[in-house]
Amino acid sequence: MRPVEPRRGAPAPIDARAPSDGIVRIFRDRSGRNGKVVTVIRGLPGKDLEGRATELKRLCGAGGAVKDGAVEIQGDHRERIADTLGSLGYTVKLAGG
């Protein structure tokens, strides 16, 4: 029997936080939520997070939370949030499907 060698080029562990490249990424997620859809916004500056989350929840008329440096809004509100953040001067990218 041959000894097991570690895989070369194995993928690096996935970091839950977005890269700090100045782009706000908005995507839809439903994993681990019993099929319920959540809009996740990553890449907002840390100083604006709580206040911006409150504004976005009010805009969408939905609940939400700030978790691990990301804003989660209940429901699929990607287009509305992208338009609002774009008008506030953020570079916005709709990520995922």
Side-chain angles (χ1 to χ4, degrees):
M1 200 181 327
R2 294 186 342 198
V4 178
E5 295 180 17
R7 285 182 31 196
R8 293 179 192 226
I14 297 173
D15 188 4
R17 293 169 288 158
S20 58
D21 57 1
I23 298 174
V24 176
R25 288 175 173 79
I26 304 172
F27 57 96
R28 191 181 65 169
D29 189 23
R30 68 167 42 155
S31 63
R33 295 179 174 87
N34 292 329
K36 297 195 185 338
V37 175
V38 175
T39 303
V40 182
I41 303 113
R42 296 193 191 279
L44 287 172
K47 60 182 174 151
D48 294 345
L49 218 48
E50 289 292 334
R52 206 57 79 192
T54 303
E55 288 177 26
L56 293 174
K57 289 189 295 187
R58 189 173 295 127
L59 170 78
C60 298
V66 176
K67 293 183 182 175
D68 298 327
V71 178
E72 297 181 357
I73 308 288
Q74 296 171 356
D76 187 1
H77 303 284
R78 290 178 298 171
E79 295 295 329
R80 181 180 297 162
I81 292 172
D83 292 341
T84 302
L85 291 178
S87 68
L88 291 172
Y90 291 99
T91 304
V92 179
K93 183 177 186 181
L94 292 177

